[in-house]
Amino acid sequence: DRTNWKLGQQDVNILLLSAVWNGFSLPLMWTLLPHGGASRSCVREALVERFLKLCPDREIRCLLADREFIGQHWFRFLDQHGVAPCIRLPARATIGAHGMPVWAVFKNLQVGEVRVWHRQTRIYGVNLRVAATKNAAGDMLYLAYRGHALPNMRRYALRWQTENLHAALKTRGFNLEDTGLTRP
């Protein structure tokens, strides 16, 4: 995941690789981005490659990521390294040979319903499964993954632990925002 804040005019933007374990998100390694906003695929790839080099015997069961962590280069990188994605797709993402927007494939979804596309399909250049669900607030979740839908939906829910980690690092506990530090 990525978290950022501003200190005056200075952007503090951290791309963080963490492990979810026993209800906690544990920071493993990170990269400070020299700009505000989203990370580029090459920066994400370098972070994952650093992990793979330092921990060659550790299997990455899956990589949980939010909607900003998408793109053909990124998905192909994960595929080439045997890392199964469990990544939320934006509604505008297209799937399949005809490039249907994912929102159109899963329209008229009812609250609490989980709908699975009937077979693997091309998502950002890689064959994956895709499923969708709608929560009580009406928010849609479109998920690209390998394997079965329900275990991956449960896995993706664990990504919330990383949001809690960011909150603890920034404002609850470590208070990194209060340090005034802006340089790596």
Side-chain angles (χ1 to χ4, degrees):
D1 204 356
R2 185 185 61 81
T3 191
N4 65 292
W5 64 90
K6 272 196 169 304
L7 191 59
Q9 295 296 315
Q10 178 70 39
D11 287 301
V12 179
N13 197 357
I14 302 170
L15 178 64
L16 177 68
L17 182 65
S18 60
V20 177
W21 178 73
N22 282 350
F24 293 99
S25 181
L26 305 167
L28 299 175
M29 50 186 55
W30 54 89
T31 297
L32 296 173
L33 303 176
H35 54 75
S39 61
R40 295 189 337 261
S41 181
C42 61
V43 175
R44 296 190 296 265
E45 292 167 18
L47 185 61
V48 171
E49 283 176 337
R50 235 171 68 210
F51 175 79
L52 293 171
K53 183 178 178 183
L54 291 171
C55 303
D57 298 330
R58 296 316 253 163
E59 173 191 358
I60 300 175
R61 188 169 301 152
C62 74
L63 186 124
L64 307 173
D66 204 10
R67 293 173 281 217
E68 78 177 73
F69 299 96
I70 57 170
Q72 192 166 15
H73 202 271
W74 173 238
F75 274 51
R76 285 186 174 168
F77 169 85
L78 294 174
D79 191 51
Q80 289 166 355
H81 286 81
V83 177
C86 187
I87 298 178
R88 185 175 185 173
L89 299 172
R92 65 177 163 66
T94 58
I95 66 171
H98 300 296
M100 289 280 293
V102 71
W103 68 263
V105 172
F106 293 105
K107 62 184 176 184
N108 301 323
L109 205 60
Q110 301 300 309
V111 171
E113 179 185 359
V114 173
R115 195 178 303 162
V116 179
W117 187 247
H118 60 280
R119 65 179 182 278
Q120 280 192 358
T121 189
R122 295 296 271 181
I123 304 170
Y124 296 110
V126 176
N127 287 327
L128 297 169
R129 303 298 309 250
V130 64
T133 191
K134 183 191 257 185
N135 69 14
D139 298 322
M140 297 292 296
L141 169 68
Y142 307 106
L143 194 64
Y145 61 93
R146 287 224 164 84
H148 299 287
L150 292 179
N152 277 284
M153 293 267 182
R154 285 192 290 274
R155 264 187 211 116
Y156 185 78
L158 297 173
R159 201 190 71 71
W160 189 249
Q161 300 309 322
T162 299
E163 298 294 336
N164 289 331
L165 170 64
H166 288 305
L169 290 173
K170 289 167 64 174
T171 57
R172 292 184 317 198
F174 287 99
N175 293 355
L176 287 178
E177 288 184 4
D178 295 342
T179 65
L181 295 175
T182 60
R183 294 184 302 165

